[in-house]
Amino acid sequence: KMSFIDKIKTDMYSAMKDKKQYKSIILRSLLAKLKEAEINSKKPITDKQCISIIKTMIKQRKEAVDLYLEGNRKDLANIEKKECEILEKYIPKMMSESEIKIIVEKAINDSNATNINEIGKVMSLVMKIGGDRIDGKIANEFVRELLS
């Protein structure tokens, strides 16, 4: 089985060959982040750690998109969006909002939560059920909406 880093390297080389400079630059910066994490932990990083790093990079780009749109810089927002699309290919497919809402409702029922003060209890259950595939920010919005 090909390691996460090998897969990204292979994709980067084929992007370079196909003259997809943009994609190769994104993948190169991703590889640099993963290598940096390996150096810091002094051992090879797991797939789970890779996914976590990629998710952080995606989150940073999504925040940048919002800031660029607020600043009326659609051009820059589109660049960040493109980067997100490239990075998202390397993480498990995220749950849809409707799937998240179902999990949130289940967590609220299972934890017998009745008010917003119990958000911590509900969210920890939501994240346990949803694992890597759930967007905590969206889940948190649903929990707030359903408990207020």
Side-chain angles (χ1 to χ4, degrees):
K1 180 186 174 285
M2 196 186 271
S3 87
F4 224 80
I5 290 180
D6 291 335
K7 163 120 182 69
I8 295 166
K9 264 188 199 154
T10 306
D11 290 352
M12 181 185 76
Y13 293 134
S14 63
M16 287 160 80
K17 261 189 224 137
D18 300 338
K19 306 256 186 289
K20 292 182 180 162
Q21 190 185 5
Y22 189 76
K23 185 176 181 180
S24 67
I25 291 169
I26 302 303
L27 295 180
R28 188 174 294 131
S29 83
L30 170 56
L31 280 171
K33 277 265 190 262
L34 297 176
K35 284 284 178 212
E36 181 188 328
E38 272 191 336
I39 291 166
N40 291 341
S41 71
K42 292 178 179 53
K43 61 181 188 280
I45 56 176
T46 64
D47 286 357
K48 200 174 171 69
Q49 288 169 304
C50 285
I51 290 169
S52 167
I53 291 167
I54 296 169
K55 279 183 165 179
T56 301
M57 291 175 73
I58 291 170
K59 187 177 173 197
Q60 290 165 339
R61 279 163 181 75
K62 284 185 173 168
E63 288 167 0
V65 167
D66 294 341
L67 292 173
Y68 284 138
L69 289 175
E70 279 171 31
N72 231 354
R73 291 299 307 266
K74 218 173 179 170
D75 53 333
L76 296 174
N78 288 334
I79 291 171
E80 298 286 342
K81 275 186 196 158
K82 257 194 223 151
E83 291 183 11
C84 278
E85 286 165 20
I86 292 169
L87 292 169
E88 281 169 348
K89 291 187 173 92
Y90 297 96
I91 60 173
K93 181 141 174 39
M94 298 302 277
M95 287 180 186
S96 68
E97 289 198 9
S98 55
E99 289 173 297
I100 294 173
K101 191 164 194 168
I102 292 166
I103 288 177
V104 166
E105 287 166 350
K106 180 179 174 11
I108 288 173
N109 288 336
D110 291 356
S111 65
N112 298 317
T114 53
N115 67 52
I116 198 74
N117 299 339
E118 297 172 283
I119 191 167
K121 181 168 74 171
V122 176
M123 278 305 294
S124 81
L125 197 54
V126 165
M127 298 314 285
K128 204 162 93 187
I129 300 169
D132 284 343
R133 296 184 48 238
I134 197 160
D135 183 326
K137 188 174 172 212
I138 294 171
N140 193 298
E141 286 166 14
F142 281 134
V143 172
R144 289 180 184 283
E145 181 186 308
L146 293 169
L147 286 181
S148 355

